[in-house]
Amino acid sequence: MKILSVFGTRPETIKMAPIIERLKHTRGVESIVCVTAQHRHMLDQFMNLFGIQSDFDLNIMKPNQTLTEITTSILTQLKEVLRQVKPDLLLVQGDTTTAMAGALAAFYEHIPVGHVEAGLRTGNMMMPWPEEMNRKLIGSIATLHFAPTETAKNHLLRENIPTDKIFVTGNTVIDALHFTLKNSKSPAFDFIDPTKRLILVTGHRRENFGEGFQSICKALKKLSERKDVQIVYPVHLNPNVQAPVRFILGEAKNVHLMEPVDYFTFVFLMEKAHLILTDSGGVQEEAPSLAKPVLVMREVTERPEGIAAGTARLVGTDETKIIREAELLLDDSEQYKIMAHAHNPYGDGHAAERIVQHILEHHEASV
Ligand code: UD1
Ligand code: UDP
C-alpha cells in the first residue's frame, strides 16, 4: 500500500511525525512524504529533529503569502506529484491551508484522503479563520476520519459522516510529547531567571492580527512590570506577529523575546513555565498533560476539553481581561491549584499506532 503524507507547517510536522515514523516500520506500506513548505524555516527546523526526509518538496513559501497563493501553488504542484506517485491514500493533518489544498488536490485525482485530527469545530466560520472552513472542507472530502476525542467524533456524526469511517484515536501531539519527554533532555536555558515565575507566551492567529495582537502585547507589557514574573516569548515568524510584538515588547524589562524554538526545547520551556498564555491549538493540547494552566487568548476554541476539565480558560484578547486572569493565577494560589492539575483529554500517546492500524484494516477490507 502506498501512503502519501502531505504537510507543510510547524504543527503538522509535529503531529505527523509519529505517524510517519510508524509507517516507516510497517510491513507492506510504502510511505512517501511530500512537504509543501508553507512554513519554510519552521518546517526545516523540525524535519531533522524528527528524522523525516521528504521525497517531494513543493517549496511554496513566500514572505507574507496570501491564502490564494498558498492554495493555488499547492493545487498546481501537487497534481503532478499525485500523478507520478499514484498513492492508495493521501494523509493530511489538521486545518491548515496545506491540509485543505492537499485534500482537494487528491479529490481531483480520485485519491482517497485520510484526515488526522478530524472533527474539531468552533461552529464559527470566522474563528479561527480560515481554519474552521479548511477543516469542514477536508471533512467533506475525506474517506477516513481520525478524530482525537469523542467530542470531535460527535461533530462529524452531526455532519452525516458515516460512523464506520470515524475512528477515535487520541491526538498524535501527545505521542510527540511523550516521545520528547522520554528521549530528550532539558537544555540549560541561561536566559531563565530562577527567582521569578515564568510566563510562556505564543500567538499567531490571523483573526488576532492588528488590534488583537496590540492588545495582547500591551497586557504582556503591563504583566512584565511585576517583579515576580519573567515572560518568555518565542515569536512566530509571521510579519503580522513580529511587527507589533517587537514594537511593543522589544524594550520591555522581564520580557525575553526569541526566535521560534525547536520542539524539544519548547516542551521543556512548557515544563518550566508557571503559566502559559497562547492562542495556539497544539499548545492547548499539550499543556494539560504537563499540568500547566493555560489562558487561551481567543474568543472561541475548537478544543473545549481542556476548558471543561478546568485546565484552560478562554480570556480573549482584551487587555484588561488578560491582565486580570493572569494576576488571579499569580496571586491566588488556590485558583492556581484548581487549574494546575494533570489532565489528559487529548490522548494517551498511542494515537499513531491506532491510526496506522485503522488504515491497514480499511485497506485490507477494500481490496
Ligand atoms: C499557518 C496556518 C495556521 C497554523 C499556523 C501554525 C494557514 C492559513 N494558517 O499560519 O492554521 O495554525 O500556520 O503556525 O494555513 N513565515 C516565515 N517562515 C516560516 C513560517 C512563516 O517567514 O517558517 C512567515 C512568512 O512571511 C509567511 C508568514 O509567516 O508568509 C505566514 O505564514 P502562513 O503559513 O501563511 O501562516 P501562519 O500564520 O504561519
Ligand atoms: N512550538 C514549538 N516551538 C515554538 C512554539 C511552539 O515547537 O517556538 C510547538 C508547540 O509545542 C505546539 C506547536 O508548535 O506543538 C503549535 O504550533 P502553532 O502554535 O504554530 O500552531 P497551531 O497549533 O496553533 O496550529
Side-chain angles (χ1 to χ4, degrees):
M1 178 184 194
K2 258 190 205 178
I3 301 177
L4 178 67
S5 301
V6 176
F7 55 93
T9 66
R10 168 168 73 187
E12 294 166 87
T13 316
I14 296 166
K15 291 171 171 181
M16 283 302 290
I19 300 178
I20 289 165
E21 178 61 21
R22 190 101 205 153
L23 288 173
K24 207 158 71 181
H25 302 291
T26 303
R27 205 183 297 163
V29 168
E30 187 185 348
S31 169
I32 301 149
V33 171
C34 174
V35 296
T36 64
Q38 176 179 332
H39 284 174
R40 181 73 273 169
H41 316 97
M42 284 164 25
L43 176 92
D44 296 344
Q45 196 180 16
F46 286 77
M47 294 291 279
N48 281 344
L49 195 72
F50 290 120
I52 306 174
Q53 294 201 328
S54 60
D55 301 288
F56 299 90
D57 188 332
L58 309 185
N59 196 23
I60 65 150
M61 198 197 95
K62 290 195 187 124
N64 225 350
Q65 61 210 353
T66 64
L67 299 176
T68 309
E69 283 166 335
I70 303 173
T71 308
T72 51
S73 331
I74 294 173
L75 281 177
T76 311
Q77 292 194 60
L78 196 53
K79 179 187 78 181
E80 303 305 329
V81 175
L82 294 176
R83 288 186 177 179
Q84 187 184 328
V85 175
K86 298 189 176 55
D88 299 296
L89 182 73
L90 178 133
L91 280 182
V92 290
Q93 194 285 333
D95 51 21
T96 65
T97 297
T98 283
M100 182 276 291
L104 187 59
F107 174 72
Y108 287 159
E109 296 298 314
H110 298 285
I111 291 162
V113 171
H115 186 201
V116 177
E117 198 182 85
L120 274 62
R121 300 285 185 270
T122 61
N124 181 339
M125 280 303 185
M126 299 311 288
M127 287 184 186
W129 182 86
E131 289 84 0
E132 180 80 356
M133 175 60 95
N134 285 344
R135 53 200 175 211
K136 287 198 79 159
L137 292 173
I138 302 167
S140 309
I141 292 171
T143 308
L144 302 177
H145 306 258
F146 303 109
T149 64
E150 287 292 335
T151 310
K153 175 179 179 174
N154 288 332
H155 289 145
L156 294 168
L157 289 174
R158 277 203 287 278
E159 291 172 17
N160 298 322
I161 307 287
T163 186
D164 63 336
K165 297 289 186 283
I166 310 171
F167 308 95
V168 178
T169 59
N171 198 309
T172 54
V173 80
I174 306 299
D175 302 24
L177 181 67
H178 286 190
F179 175 84
T180 305
L181 292 170
K182 198 168 154 209
N183 294 291
S184 69
K185 276 205 196 111
S186 178
F189 294 129
D190 51 8
F191 55 86
I192 290 182
D193 181 342
T195 65
K196 295 184 176 179
R197 288 179 291 177
L198 178 76
I199 301 181
L200 180 63
V201 182
T202 76
H204 67 83
R205 299 249 79 87
R206 272 176 158 76
E207 67 271 17
N208 287 348
F209 289 173
E211 253 178 55
F213 263 100
Q214 284 177 19
S215 167
I216 288 171
C217 291
K218 284 185 199 156
L220 294 174
K221 191 165 186 189
K222 191 84 194 148
L223 285 168
S224 75
E225 287 166 12
R226 291 177 59 120
K227 296 211 164 28
D228 59 342
V229 301
Q230 181 187 21
I231 294 177
V232 172
Y233 185 171
V235 189
H236 193 287
L237 294 178
N238 195 320
N240 299 291
V241 179
Q242 289 276 338
V245 172
R246 305 242 170 232
F247 183 70
I248 299 172
L249 294 172
E251 304 297 319
K253 267 210 266 168
N254 292 331
V255 178
H256 184 79
L257 300 181
M258 59 200 297
E259 295 289 300
V261 293
D262 70 62
Y263 187 62
F264 293 176
T265 305
F266 192 75
V267 166
F268 288 104
L269 273 177
M270 282 194 284
E271 251 212 332
K272 296 234 173 314
H274 181 72
L275 171 64
I276 301 175
L277 268 60
T278 190
D279 66 14
S280 157
V283 177
Q284 286 179 67
E285 291 156 345
E286 293 156 339
S289 282
L290 299 169
K292 300 298 173 180
V294 185
L295 297 181
V296 182
M297 299 184 292
R298 298 169 55 177
E299 304 304 327
V300 288
T301 180
E302 60 288 296
R303 290 160 170 98
E305 296 86 351
I307 309 279
T311 56
R313 245 176 231 169
L314 271 181
V315 298
T317 55
D318 178 69
E319 181 185 343
T320 319
K321 184 148 189 215
I322 295 172
I323 297 170
R324 192 176 63 231
E325 294 286 342
E327 296 217 298
L328 185 68
L329 292 175
L330 290 168
D331 295 333
D332 184 336
S333 59
E334 283 310 309
Q335 282 291 323
Y336 184 84
K337 264 193 234 150
I338 290 170
M339 283 189 83
H341 58 268
H343 185 66
N344 225 339
Y346 300 109
D348 60 1
H350 297 280
E353 205 175 300
R354 292 190 191 99
I355 289 169
V356 172
Q357 190 57 34
H358 290 307
I359 291 174
L360 295 177
E361 283 168 12
H362 178 266
H363 184 65
E364 271 166 30
S366 62
V367 287

